[in-house]
Amino acid sequence: MDFFAHHILSVVLFTPLVGALILLFVPREQDSVPRLVGNVFGVLGFLVSLPLVHWWHSDWGGFTFEENADWIPSIGARYHLGIDGISLLLVMLTTFLGMIAIFSSWSAIKLRQKEYYILLLLLQVGMIGVFVSLDFFLFYVFWEVMLVPMYFLIGVWGSDRRLYAAIKFFLYTLAGSVVMLLAILALYFYAPAAADGSRTFDVPTLLAAVKDFPDSLRVWLFWGFFFAFAIKVPMFPFHTWLPDAHTEAPTAGSVILAGVLLKMGTYGFIRFSLPLLPTDTVLRARIIHIVIVLSLIGIIYGALVCLMQKDMKRLIAYSSVSHLGFCTLGIFALNPNGLSGSVLQQINHGISTGALFLIVGVLYERRHTRLISEFGGLATPMPNFAAIYLIISLSSLGMPLLNGFIGEFTILQGAFQVSKAWAAWGSLGVVLGAAYLLWLYQRVMFGPVTNPINEKLPDLNAREYATLIPLVILAFWIGIYPKPFFAFIEKPLERIVHQVNPGFYGAEHAKLPPLEMQPAVVETK
Amino acid sequence: MLPIGHYLFLSAALFIIGVIGVITRRNVIVILMSIELILNAVNINLVAFSRLYGDVAGQVFALFIIADAAAEAAVGLGIIIAFFRNRETVLADEMDLLKW
Amino acid sequence: MTPTGTFLSFLWLIPLFPLATAALMLFVGKRVPKAGVSLLCVGSVGLSFVCAAGAVSELLAADSEHRVFQQVLFEWLTPGPMQMTGGHLVPFVADWGFLLDPLSCVMVLVVTGVGFLIHVYSVGYMAHEGGYYRFFGYMNLFMFAMLTLVLANNMLLMFVGWEGVGLCSYLLIGFYFLKKSASDAGKKAFIVNRIGDAGFILGILLTAVTLGTIRFMSNGLPESESASGIFQVLKAAKDSGTLGVITPTLTVIALLLFIGAMGKSAQIPLYVWLPDAMEGPTPVSALIHAATMVTAGVYMVVRMNAVYQLAPAAMDVVAVVGAVTAIFAASMAVVQNDIKKVLAYSTISQLGYMFLALGVGAFAAGIFHLMTHAFFKALLFLGAGSVIHSMSGEQDIRKMGGLWGKIPRTAVTFLIATLAIAGIFPFAGFFSKDEILGRAFDRFFLLWIVGFFTAGLTAFYMFRLLFLTFFGYSRADEHVEKHIHESPPAMTVPLIILAALSIIGGWIGWPGALGGENRFERFLEPVLAGVISETGAVRIAHHAVGKEIFLMVLSLSMAGAGIWLAYEFYRSKRIAPQLVAEKWPKVYELLVHKYYVDEIYDALIVNRVKDLGVLLGVLDANVIDGLGVNGAGWLARFSSKVSMWWDKWVIDGLLNFGAKLTQLFSYPVRLLQTGLFSSYALLILVGLVVLLGYYGHHMQTLLRAVR
Amino acid sequence: MLDKVLFYIFAGLAIASGALMVTRRNAVHSAIFLVTALLATAGIFLQLRAEFLFIVQIILYVGGIMVLFIFVIMLVNLDVALQQIQFARQKWVALIVALALSAQFGLMLWSSEKIPGQGIPVLAAPPASELPANSEAVAQSLFGNYLLAFEIASVLLLVAMIGAVVMAKKEK
Amino acid sequence: MNIPFIDAIRSYLQGDGATILPEMELTLFGLGILLIGFSSKDSVENSGIWKLIFKDFYAKTAFVGTVFSAFTLWKLRGQVAMRGDLVGFHETVVVDGFFLFFAGLFLAATALVILLSVKYLEIEKEEEGEYYALLLFACVGMMLMASGFDLIVMFLGLETMALSFYVLTGFLRRDKRSNEAALKYVLLGAFSSGILAYGFSILYGLSGTTNVRLLSYAFDPSSPLAQAIQLSRQPGPGGEAMRERFASQYPAALHLDPSMLLHQMPLFAAAAFVLVAVGLFFKVAAVPFHQWAPDVYEGAPTPVTTYISVASKTASFALLLRLFLTVFAASHEMWLYVVGGVAIATLTWGNLAALTQTNVKRLLAYSSISHVGFILLGLVSGNNTALIGIGYYLFAYVFMTIGAFAVVIVLRQKGIIGDELEDLNGLYQRSPVSALLLLVFMLSLAGIPPTAGFMGKYFIFLSLIETKHTVLAVFAVLYIVPALYYYFRIIVHAWLKQPGDAPRVLMSNAQAVALGVAVFVTLAAGLYPEPFTRLAHYAFGQ
């Protein structure tokens, strides 16, 4: 138990890996065993992450549950893990969605099951790793590691244009991340070395060192990181990999892709890009302006393009562009409202869009098509499906009492404090969001059943309920009582705002409370 | 001895002639001979410098170059023969199976 | 003494009852027997009504200054500190809290009361429809949202209800989702509403950053001094003399909020969804699109009256929009042939009236009209529903007629409602409408003129409807004719109750000029006090009694004129449409108006002359719908085409540029990688020459330095 | 003086026969001119007082390698080849590049002569009389300083031998 | 016992002989193979136990040779650790960390190639004795390239290696592609050797010595030699003493022009540098001297291709590094842009040309060209990080490239050539393990963590940033993207395409061992790079 408490993050991180390794030795001929093992480890992965929440104290602003061990001493890379409230939420989202995604593949995947589950679990490791790494080197390793399983998930189990989509996804992301690698190296090199001349990749140390950097260097570093994250998010105009990847990926892949992978970009923005913003106000304002304009274009552009889509998954993919535009908008408002809204919206997007992809998956499993025109009037044969789909659509379009609203409103509130015009444009995205999602809903669910094949479609089965209901519950939870979620991120965000936008707190609170490193481990109760 | 420049000029001339032979001739045997000429140019350099410094290292070097030239010629001609057996040609631009 | 009581402390039960049944219906409704559904759903609304009545009575027990009860259940949205315009940081919190004050008392009673009646009615009306449980689930969900809206203690929670009712409206309009027109209408309603909502949201945000709070008031909270409320902040600003600074911002807030109100309450130019919304089942139209939801905008403006009173410019805008909507919609109602469409345009028109009232500062009158309108318009819709029910679903008034004797209860109650809406003394509509017109007269003569003519029009088109539906010969098909029957008691009893309310409902606002004391206005007075007492927007008017009576007589005679005209046209048929056409070709708008209505009625010369109704219809379809809604759709398609193009050619193009470059590049590579020995050797030589050249070039500078 | 004359004769001969070797159509002629060039080079060696190398050049090159060449030329029977074009298509480009290379070499030689510090140190070479006996000196060096090189050369020649055998072996 | 002959040998082995002991052992084993081949062919045919021993006898012998040699290297390492660098044969050869590192790599590569060759030769039906002997002799040449401290030794080592490779390339005499590749290789190789030799001759002419240490002094104006020469020109006892020292140790110095030493790279020296560089660039296959590589890689028997791409390249880099880090070290700024330009050209050409290849060997050839670009970039920055990076990169390169080619070799079955992309189709179904291994190698070649290839690139990029060559760094880093694309073309064929009617892939034990070693190192060096960075540190004496 003690060991568990001391290495909780490692346990969370490597539980899926253990699953993958066990799967390696499962004989290929056994069809149901890989599926079982995969699911067990999906659930296990989620269960072992629960203590994180249990042990959490809402007044913790710094990193906690730290683990710090030598890895490559000669270059100063360490195995340094730790999370704060922001990463905690994202880790939980990852383990949770991972579990759902694995479960959702129960009957959808018939081909090469063993490999499929191995890859999903490996992907899980990569994603958790990105969120818990406190060492740039480790972070980068996980960042890249994650691409490979995703590539295969799309490439092997995807639909028709899977090869194109998979490689496009890989290349796009790689292009961004190699530039980020340079930025990381530059950060590593320009940060002052320790007394004995050794350098470090330690995230807190390096980010603290940034404050002594000249602005010109900061600008370069900022853009270096920016491209990686902007492609991952994806921000306009770096988004074109997303529709292809989302569309071609199998359901679980899409869920993970939309639910978690995109969040790495926004997470990176919050964690790494913001501290790199230059101190010079003019320069800073210019950079922020560029990013915000791209976000706003993304919001509206994504929504408009949605209106024209014929393929359900593609539509949802473009809606991600729009929703993630909100996230970046909130981040670069640089105030607590915008940031907390953004973090929450990341979670929300994971839930809503993940669920939307599951819903498309339900239809795809029944009909093997995703063309909107193939459907119509499904509310008649599938009433319960219709209800859940409606709730999820509403959650995605920002209906109050559901999660989306909380995020969008808080983001708009944050943006509004900086510029009224930003918020106004952002709210246009809200309007369009309703338009495309409801139109989609109408075309799929309402009207008479136009296609005779659809008349006999069975309603949701127990397994599909089991994947969708938790998401619906979460959607309501966040929509009705988001306070616990805000509590996780309040203190960490306060620190970040202090660091990157000291003017915000004004003279009264100008001094940042010194960061007390949280106890590495919590006493288990 | 004469000024070193004379020898260098001679060697450079032979080198360039050899190079021209390598890049213009079609017959691989002649190409191989041109390479011998290049090595010969190297030897002139070495021996001239050796004379300049009154140091025999250059001459020893030249000796090894001759040995190397012999070895290359032997292997090269062996390969040419093998090639000729298979392809019935010794023209450089007819060896074009491998490209792009 | 602050109000207390059991019902008050369980105030949250009021919205909870419908929510609980709604959830039950939507999740397991399929398995609940029909009777159970009816019992649960109607019963829950009834319980809400009882609770509401109890709470109101407990509130009324307190003296008038303290009639505020506020209850915060939990902190809902807590995104951390917010920076106000001035740079101050305030902790931003949106409560989940309920507020009961005289204003919400009125609303909650109207909503639960009328809602209950309509639920009862629905039991009869929907008895043979599929998706019974679904219908009631949506209806109860609507009740929940509407009650949240009216009971909310802050703008954001109000927005929750606001969006919730919009959603339910969407669902209920599209209840017959197999019909494309129904689901289209639902979607249209939702999207148009969303446009307004965007304005509302921005208004909320602007309020938040300007005033630092979005709670309406802090009265009734445990620490009402320290807790902030919009009212309190404004008062503090006034006390510190900084009110002038924020006044322009308040105007903007007021206008943004009004955009929201325009969407929800179907004002120009966002009214277009409401006529289409008639695709929904008739009880829905009665509840949502007549009595409650569409009046949410009015309620919201009144709720925010403290802000509006400080923004006279915004008030003027409200008044003008209201007046124009009123007459515009009324004129269109004249030419409609669908019984529900007539009522829909009428609703728009009446909502315009209400906004006219708000705009001229008669907040109480606006709410008063809202209440009476809820009674008689619900009655009208329910009556119409009853007619449709008896006519086996026929909605076209040209195919009706002569129903008076066949469905007497419906007919009589319909007549009462018509009289009420026409503003005939002493029906409810008379009092509220007169109050509005009187205040408009005080404020600006032209507004009164518009309202005055609208009153005439209203009387005209309502009686036209009445005459065509219930009088004359039956024009129905034979097999329909055979099945005409009075509706079951479940439907007629609510009609009768509402009819009673339509008569007596106005009496609580019996004006001073007629010997009453306008108790309604007094009741609302504490809510409408405003920050600056001397603006007087809410003071009870003390006109000269003579003038007031004069105005009443004028409007009554106008209504009478409308009724007479309708009678002449549609009952006695003494005025032939053609005659009018020849006599006054395109002279005066009003006459033209009449002229064309005739033509439509006869359906003979529609194509030859430009009837204003048709014109407006065309305007509606082409200009407003066309530019507004379809235009937006077109814009969306266009921009997404552009976007797709951009995506495909520019962005992917850039990506593929690499590939193109490669192909381009592969040519010289292929050219060089010939597989030919000589070219390889030559390339080596070229490399040698280039590298040597680099140094040769380099040496030039070196040599020059040496010389 | 005699030195000079000898050098010019041998140098001229070497360049001329080199040029002829490159341009002759018949490979056998080319081989003969190569022999001439090599012999002329041997003369230069002699003129530079490298007597041992002079002998090696004649025996090894002219006697050994050239025989090998001619043998191979005969073996592959070039009658047909005589009728064909002897230069690659790119010869003009090649010549231009070669010209550029000559220009650069020229510049290099010129600068090494004219500009101090740019080229070969031009201190006086030790007079011929002071030189030790050539063969002896070479032997000293070869088995002293360069013993290792000598050993490697044996491996090199062994490799060449195996290579030639493997390559030229008839198919079974 | 006091037998003079044995004593002589013993003392030789404790003196100079120690410095070339590994090479000597390899040579002896090579000779042994040849002798057995000539004497005892077909003598033991059908007797049971003998059959077991004599099956693949040559390969076994050669393998044992590499093991012996490696063991000797290990002992030498101990000696070096105790006594410092060993110098022998009048300073024509040194044994230092640099040599030990590279020699270890060569031996590892040789051993792995031997393991990979057995089955391949069986399928090709070639006699094998000479083949293995030549492998060993090539390795001897390479080791001498790394340990040589004298131009002559270096040149001869290079030629030994090159000649072996010419023959090995053409070893499949009946195969037209093999013939052609060998002929192109020998002609171009000899041509480039001529250029290199010409460069060497000028180097000799500039300094009057072939010793690398003295050469490096001669090219460094701040070296003690420059001062000593200045001193020797002075009259007086000090000058006299210096003149005498020169006369005995370095007679040419008496003739050297002191003013030459004042310039870092006079034109003549520049010419020497360019000629040497071109010769070496050819050997490492840098653009535009690379064109032999794709043709030779494609034509040569695949194990030989592996050997060439790995060992020949590494050895040539060892030679190149030895020269650039000693002789030309002082004039780093003078050739910075030359190497940088070649590096960028190499990266560009290698990556872009690889994109459209359909032959795996050819594709890997271009990919190995692009790797040369990365390594040369390390030479551009030239600081400590860069050297570690180069060492690490070469180390990683050896194992991942062997791994990648090994999969191609495994694919070579009876009746299937297996080096076209199409031949890889459905490898995953035919042999999941090799498909998985292929994936690891491709990721490593592309530089995706956590594989060895990434760490190598990491150091190179870091060094570029440290020396502020940001533009080069961005260039280099972006070339990872097209690289990934073509590596993943291989992956696509192996994993995502259907196998058609291609047979299952059978892997011999030797091949399995070789693949296992390669994949182990590739992954271990990526996951836990610490020991491997130490190795690189060791090689470059830091």
Side-chain angles (χ1 to χ4, degrees), chain A residues 24 28 70-76 112 115 119 137 140-145 147-148 151-152 155-156 162-163 166-167 170-172 174-176 178-179 181-190 199 201, chain E residues 428-429 432 436 439 443 446-450 454-455 457-459 461-462 465-468 470 473-475 477-478 480-482 484-485 488-489 491-492 495-498 526-530 533-534 537:
Chain A
L24 265 183
R28 178 181 318 279
D70 263 351
W71 178 29
I72 321 175
S74 58
I75 63 170
R112 302 197 202 169
E115 291 77 8
L119 288 171
F137 201 85
Y140 186 78
V141 168
F142 281 123
W143 178 280
E144 297 271 292
V145 157
L147 298 181
V148 181
Y151 171 84
F152 282 106
V156 179
R162 56 179 180 265
L163 291 182
I167 197 71
F170 206 148
L171 291 185
Y172 243 111
L174 189 77
V178 291
V179 179
L181 173 64
L182 279 192
I184 290 177
L185 293 180
L187 195 58
Y188 169 78
F189 174 66
Y190 284 105
R199 298 189 177 276
F201 278 107
Chain E
Y428 174 73
Q429 278 92 339
L436 189 65
L439 173 65
L443 288 176
I448 304 292
F454 165 70
M455 285 303 297
K457 288 196 171 67
Y458 157 83
F459 283 114
F461 296 149
L462 180 60
I465 283 178
E466 284 177 359
T467 49
K468 310 230 171 12
T470 319
V474 172
F475 246 102
V477 108
L478 285 178
I480 293 185
V481 179
L484 187 92
Y485 177 74
F488 265 68
R489 282 182 65 212
I491 293 300
V492 164
W495 283 75
L496 309 180
K497 300 252 163 143
Q498 288 309 307
L527 284 169
Y528 188 60
E530 186 61 18
T533 51
R534 291 227 191 86
H537 268 285

Side-chain angles (χ1 to χ4, degrees), chain A residues 58-355:
Chain A
S58 64
D59 51 351
W60 285 351
F63 294 108
T64 185
F65 300 120
E66 281 193 281
E67 286 174 50
N68 201 338
D70 263 351
W71 178 29
I72 321 175
S74 58
I75 63 170
R78 300 180 67 79
Y79 176 73
H80 188 182
L81 307 182
I83 53 173
D84 63 359
I86 304 167
S87 14
L88 174 80
L89 278 188
L90 290 168
V91 168
M92 294 309 297
L93 178 74
T94 311
T95 54
F96 178 71
L97 273 186
M99 176 178 75
I100 300 258
I102 291 174
F103 193 49
S104 76
S105 320
W106 190 271
S107 63
I109 301 299
K110 304 206 167 53
L111 177 80
R112 302 197 202 169
Q113 291 197 20
K114 173 178 154 178
E115 291 77 8
Y116 178 83
Y117 288 103
I118 291 178
L119 288 171
L120 265 184
L121 289 169
L122 284 181
L123 184 63
Q124 192 82 345
V125 179
M127 294 185 302
I128 298 174
V130 166
F131 292 132
V132 301
S133 300
L134 280 187
D135 183 284
F136 269 115
F137 201 85
L138 194 63
F139 169 80
Y140 186 78
V141 168
F142 281 123
W143 178 280
E144 297 271 292
V145 157
M146 193 185 65
L147 298 181
V148 181
M150 198 67 224
Y151 171 84
F152 282 106
L153 283 177
I154 299 174
V156 179
W157 291 274
S159 37
D160 307 337
R161 291 170 71 233
R162 56 179 180 265
L163 291 182
Y164 172 73
I167 197 71
K168 193 170 174 184
F169 159 78
F170 206 148
L171 291 185
Y172 243 111
T173 324
L174 189 77
S177 63
V178 291
V179 179
M180 175 173 77
L181 173 64
L182 279 192
I184 290 177
L185 293 180
L187 195 58
Y188 169 78
F189 174 66
Y190 284 105
D196 61 346
S198 64
R199 298 189 177 276
T200 178
F201 278 107
D202 192 52
V203 170
T205 317
L206 287 183
L207 290 185
V210 165
K211 67 177 185 296
D212 301 324
F213 283 13
D215 272 349
S216 53
L217 179 60
R218 281 172 165 224
V219 171
W220 284 114
L221 288 175
F222 177 85
W223 289 120
F225 278 101
F226 176 82
F227 281 109
F229 300 143
I231 287 175
K232 200 87 188 178
V233 165
M235 283 180 86
F236 178 90
F238 307 110
H239 63 275
T240 51
W241 64 269
L242 182 94
D244 287 314
H246 273 23
T247 311
E248 302 305 325
T251 301
S254 302
V255 171
I256 297 281
L257 199 56
V260 186
L261 251 68
L262 305 189
K263 307 307 160 357
M264 298 188 172
T266 44
Y267 172 78
F269 275 137
I270 295 177
R271 175 79 76 232
F272 306 121
S273 287
L274 289 188
L276 289 170
L277 281 170
T279 48
D280 178 58
T281 44
V282 179
L283 211 55
R284 183 192 183 87
R286 198 176 296 155
I287 289 179
I288 291 180
H289 214 80
I290 294 172
V291 180
I292 292 287
V293 166
L294 288 181
S295 308
L296 290 174
I297 293 178
I299 293 175
I300 292 164
Y301 171 94
L304 285 178
V305 177
C306 277
L307 289 171
M308 281 308 289
Q309 298 308 318
K310 297 182 176 63
D311 182 310
M312 296 172 81
K313 268 183 139 179
R314 229 178 155 73
L315 192 153
I316 298 166
Y318 273 111
S319 85
S320 292
V321 176
S322 184
H323 283 134
L324 269 296
F326 271 105
C327 291
T328 43
L329 176 65
I331 291 170
F332 284 89
L334 295 186
N335 52 32
N337 291 168
L339 278 164
S340 55
S342 176
V343 175
L344 207 60
Q345 180 68 353
Q346 290 168 36
I347 308 294
N348 293 338
H349 179 258
I351 295 167
S352 317
T353 308

